[in-house]
């Protein structure tokens, strides 16, 4: 599918990659607006189609005392305010069937978490809202198996599916990305590379997931070279104090240089 056929993704330059980026979780209105304003300014300058990302709740946490959210409706209203303020679409993940219709009232893209992407009823509920459905590839799934997840979306009559690769488990505490899967999955839907979660180091004894953010640039450049349609990354102005996934986030101050370099790589590849 041509990504330009997905109407919620604003295409200032359809020859460039598109970007899903923002904080892991919505921690409050001020932080969301601050991050969105910075990313919109950069992506407008570089003509990168942009979708603001933020989880309205974090249902999948290692420890029971981990941050899960500020309240569902409160967070969803913040996502809507970001969209209204900056004129960009938004994406959030859902975890239960009942989340689909609720979140669809506020956002443009519904994301199915990697651990839940085989849950047929959840995927179908997301698809039936008519929203774009971003399917995170399970860390345990082959690229070929994502064809069936996409089919669950399209069989509802919704052709707006995206696949996001967030890495594959390598042992118990590391992730790898198999770039051979990118062209395979592009046969089924536009493909995004999640360059922050694919650098996670899960299952730490502390119950707090680790990460390798120093490699975000390397992973991003490799993804663009491999031909992904878009990139997904979590970013924060203070990753060390972010309430979720700070260990693998990109510091917001580093975003403009990275996206400038990636746009140059994409331009070169397009000229070949």
């Amino acid at each position: 599918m041509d990504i330009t056929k997905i109407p919620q993704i604003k295409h200032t330059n359809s020859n460039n990659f598109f970007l899903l980026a923002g904080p892991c979780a919505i921690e409050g209105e001020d932080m969301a607006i601050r991050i969105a304003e910075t990313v919109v300014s950069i992506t407008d300058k570089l003509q990168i189609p942009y979708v603001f990302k933020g989880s309205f709740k974090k249902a999948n946490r290692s420890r029971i005392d981990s941050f899960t959210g500020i309240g569902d409706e409160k967070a969803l209203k913040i996502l809507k305010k970001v969209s209204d303020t900056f004129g960009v679409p938004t994406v959030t993940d859902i975890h239960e069937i009942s989340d689909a219709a609720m979140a669809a009232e506020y956002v443009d893209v519904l994301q199915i978490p990697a651990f839940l992407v085989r849950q047929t009823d959840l995927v179908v509920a997301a698809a039936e809202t008519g929203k774009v459905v971003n399917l995170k590839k399970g860390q345990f799934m082959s690229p070929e198996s994502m064809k069936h997840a996409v089919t669950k979306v399209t069989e509802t009559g919704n052709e707006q599916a995206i696949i996001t690769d967030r890495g594959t488990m390598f042992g118990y505490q590391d992730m790898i990305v198999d770039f051979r899967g990118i062209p395979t999955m592009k046969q089924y839907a536009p493909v995004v590379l999640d360059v922050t979660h694919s650098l996670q180091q899960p299952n730490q004894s502390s119950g707090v997931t680790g990460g390798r953010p120093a490699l975000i640039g390397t992973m991003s450049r490799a993804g663009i070279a491999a031909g992904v349609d878009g990139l997904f990354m979590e970013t924060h102005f203070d990753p060390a104090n972010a309430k979720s996934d700070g260990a693998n986030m990109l510091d917001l101050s580093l975003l403009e240089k990275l996206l400038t370099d990636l746009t140059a790589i994409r331009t070169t590849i397009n000229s070949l």
Side-chain angles (χ1 to χ4, degrees):
M1 181 198 305
D2 184 345
I3 192 64
T4 61
K5 293 181 180 178
I6 297 179
Q8 287 90 337
I9 296 180
K10 177 183 174 185
H11 274 265
T12 52
N13 179 357
S14 61
N15 291 319
N16 209 346
F17 59 92
F18 65 96
L19 178 69
L20 289 74
C24 177
I26 299 298
E27 302 170 9
E29 182 176 314
D30 290 346
M31 64 83 71
I33 294 295
R34 177 178 172 182
I35 293 170
E37 182 175 30
T38 300
V39 182
V40 167
S41 174
I42 296 168
T43 54
D44 279 354
K45 183 190 307 183
L46 296 174
Q47 293 191 297
I48 298 172
Y50 174 51
V51 182
F52 177 84
K53 182 271 168 186
S55 296
F56 76 94
K57 67 178 176 183
K58 302 302 295 182
N60 174 28
R61 304 309 308 276
S62 297
R63 293 180 1 187
I64 196 167
D65 60 346
S66 296
F67 174 79
T68 58
I70 60 173
D72 295 356
E73 187 175 8
K74 183 177 181 180
L76 287 167
K77 285 182 176 178
I78 291 170
L79 285 162
K80 184 67 166 61
K81 183 169 184 178
V82 167
S83 182
D84 291 344
T85 301
F86 299 105
V88 296
T90 54
V91 55
T92 198
D93 39 340
I94 63 172
H95 306 86
E96 301 177 25
I97 294 169
S98 60
D99 290 344
M102 177 179 65
E105 294 292 321
Y106 298 91
V107 303
D108 304 284
V109 183
L110 298 179
Q111 181 168 288
I112 306 298
F115 284 135
L116 300 177
V117 75
R118 288 189 56 173
Q119 297 298 109
T120 299
D121 289 348
L122 181 64
V123 174
V124 169
E128 287 179 340
T129 67
K131 298 292 184 176
V132 177
V133 180
N134 182 25
L135 301 160
K136 284 287 197 82
K137 185 180 83 65
Q139 302 93 321
F140 45 86
M141 293 175 68
S142 70
E144 291 80 7
S145 65
M146 288 304 295
K147 177 181 180 179
H148 305 298
V150 172
T151 298
K152 291 176 184 180
V153 176
T154 58
E155 283 294 305
T156 70
N158 185 344
E159 297 292 327
Q160 300 180 115
I162 301 171
I163 299 171
T164 294
D165 192 335
R166 50 95 74 237
T168 301
M169 288 301 301
F170 186 67
Y172 289 119
Q173 295 180 322
D174 211 351
M175 312 286 297
I176 58 170
V177 173
D178 183 357
F179 288 95
R180 299 173 300 177
I182 301 299
T184 298
M185 293 187 290
K186 286 183 70 170
Q187 298 175 62
Y188 317 135
V191 173
V192 173
L193 179 62
D194 181 341
V195 299
T196 47
H197 288 102
S198 59
L199 291 168
Q200 280 186 330
Q201 294 179 310
N203 299 320
Q204 301 297 312
S205 59
S206 65
V208 178
T209 297
R212 304 184 69 186
L215 293 176
I216 291 172
T218 300
M219 189 66 71
S220 301
R221 289 188 289 271
I224 296 299
V228 296
D229 299 289
L231 294 176
F232 176 110
M233 62 179 71
E234 291 183 341
T235 184
H236 197 288
F237 49 81
D238 186 9
N241 289 301
K243 294 184 178 180
S244 178
D245 279 0
N248 52 269
M249 278 192 196
L250 179 72
D251 191 301
L252 191 60
S253 66
L254 303 176
L255 182 64
E256 182 166 7
K257 174 64 165 62
L258 175 59
L259 292 181
T260 300
D261 291 348
L262 296 175
T263 298
I265 294 171
R266 182 62 171 246
T267 299
T268 300
I269 290 172
N270 288 342
S271 68
L272 297 176

